[in-house]
Structure formats: C-alpha cells, structure tokens
Amino acid sequence: MIVGVPKEIKEQEYRVALLPAGAGQLVKHRHRVLVQKDAGAGIGYGDDDYRRAGAEIVESPEELFAASELVVKVKEPLPSETALLRPGQILFTYLHLAANRALTEALVASGATCIAYESVGCNHRLPLLEPMSEIAGRMSVLVGGHYLSKSNGGSGVLLGGVPGVLPGRVVVLGGGTAGINAARMAAGLG
C-alpha cells in the first residue's frame, strides 16, 4: 500500500501523523511511505529522518494525495485537502464531523473512505482518542492556572500554593479520561 503523510496546514497544528519510526515499520513491511516536505518539522523531525527510515519525500500536497492509497493526518482536512481526495482512497485522521456539516458533505462527495480516529473502538474503549484526552486533561489545569494569575486577569491564586499559603481549589467536571487526568494533575500541584 502507498501511505501518504501530508504536512498539517491547520493553524497552530504542528504535529505529524506518522513519526519516522512508524514510517520505518511500514517500509519494513513492504509499504511505500510518502511524506510531504517538512511534515515533521514542527515537532523536530526533518526530512532526512524520514529518508533514513525509508520514506520518500514529496514536495506538494497535490503530489502526495495523487499517489497515496491511504492518507494519514492529525487534523480534519481543510477544503484545499478535501478537493484532493478521490474515490477508492482512504483517509485516516481526526474528523469531528458532528460540528462540521460542510466537511461531512465534502468528504461524502469525494468518494473516499474516511475513518475518524475518534470513532475507532476496541473493548468498549477509544484507544486512539484516549492519549489526546489525557493530554487535554493535564493541560487544562496548567492553562487554568495560567489564567488565575493577576497579570492575566485572574484573582492571583497559585494552584500549588507556597509555604504559608494554601493551594488553590480545583473542581473537575467529568470523570472520563480527560477529567481523571485533570484531577491527577491538580492533585500533584497541591
């Protein structure tokens, strides 16, 4: 199979869907891996890292989408990317379709088979969504603490406290993966 990894173009998205080690495993199993130029640069992986893993570097998203049977991304495709999808092609990425009718319609019109990471289940769990929820839960406490500072319009509460000053109180709503990780993070600050 020919697997394509485009550079993410959504604003403030620096991740890449496949690391060089993953590309190497696919190549080892006789798949061809195409990676768009600078796709991993946002997280510190250069084109040479992918080349050493056996992947081929392509210049443009047009070239990548045209040659790929399977396209793996991090975020949902933007209109310039959905226009490149075709019947018989597989897209594997986060889609979040419930909030985006235009994207849903564009994907249907493309004729591609589109699989959302967040909908892949195994044993009543969502193994592809859980790591992102863990990160979101942990970051939520840090971001909340940032906005509690006086310089950011907050009341000046220091979540972790200091000797002689009680730590801030945190309320976590929800007990899913994100909520559990937020509670763990908040408890670790006290």
Side-chain angles (χ1 to χ4, degrees), residues 35-93:
V35 178
Q36 187 179 340
K37 183 176 176 20
D38 296 328
I43 60 166
Y45 289 103
D47 294 340
D48 286 339
D49 295 315
Y50 285 97
R51 282 189 191 100
R52 280 191 292 277
E56 302 168 44
I57 303 301
V58 298
E59 290 293 323
S60 70
E62 292 81 8
E63 181 183 358
L64 183 126
F65 277 78
S68 300
E69 298 168 294
L70 167 64
V71 176
V72 292
K73 288 182 46 56
V74 175
K75 293 301 286 178
E76 69 278 359
L78 296 180
S80 64
E81 295 170 311
T82 57
L84 301 174
L85 292 170
R86 65 179 189 281
Q89 194 170 48
I90 302 167
L91 172 67
F92 197 31
T93 188

Side-chain angles (χ1 to χ4, degrees), residues 11-181:
E11 189 175 324
Q12 295 194 17
E13 182 55 68
Y14 305 103
R15 296 173 292 176
V16 63
L18 188 67
L19 299 179
Q25 286 298 309
L26 290 172
V27 170
K28 179 180 170 183
H29 288 90
R30 299 185 179 171
H31 297 286
R32 185 174 168 210
V33 178
L34 308 178
V35 178
Q36 187 179 340
K37 183 176 176 20
D38 296 328
I43 60 166
Y45 289 103
D47 294 340
D48 286 339
D49 295 315
Y50 285 97
R51 282 189 191 100
R52 280 191 292 277
E56 302 168 44
I57 303 301
V58 298
E59 290 293 323
S60 70
E62 292 81 8
E63 181 183 358
L64 183 126
F65 277 78
S68 300
E69 298 168 294
L70 167 64
V71 176
V72 292
K73 288 182 46 56
V74 175
K75 293 301 286 178
E76 69 278 359
L78 296 180
S80 64
E81 295 170 311
T82 57
L84 301 174
L85 292 170
R86 65 179 189 281
Q89 194 170 48
I90 302 167
L91 172 67
F92 197 31
T93 188
Y94 286 107
L95 289 173
H96 308 293
L97 295 176
N100 195 334
R101 183 181 180 123
L103 175 60
T104 303
E105 291 171 348
L107 293 175
V108 170
S110 76
T113 299
C114 304
I115 304 168
Y117 294 147
E118 70 270 16
S119 67
V120 174
C122 181
N123 297 324
H124 306 290
R125 299 188 70 163
L126 299 170
L128 302 179
L129 186 58
E130 285 178 15
M132 294 297 105
S133 298
E134 288 176 14
I135 293 167
R138 291 171 187 240
M139 285 186 65
S140 69
V141 175
L142 297 175
V143 171
H146 171 77
Y147 285 105
L148 286 172
S149 73
K150 285 277 191 191
S151 61
N152 288 309
S155 59
V157 172
L158 179 62
L159 286 181
V162 292
V165 177
L166 292 173
R169 292 176 47 161
V170 176
V171 175
V172 175
L173 302 177
T177 302
I180 289 169
N181 279 276

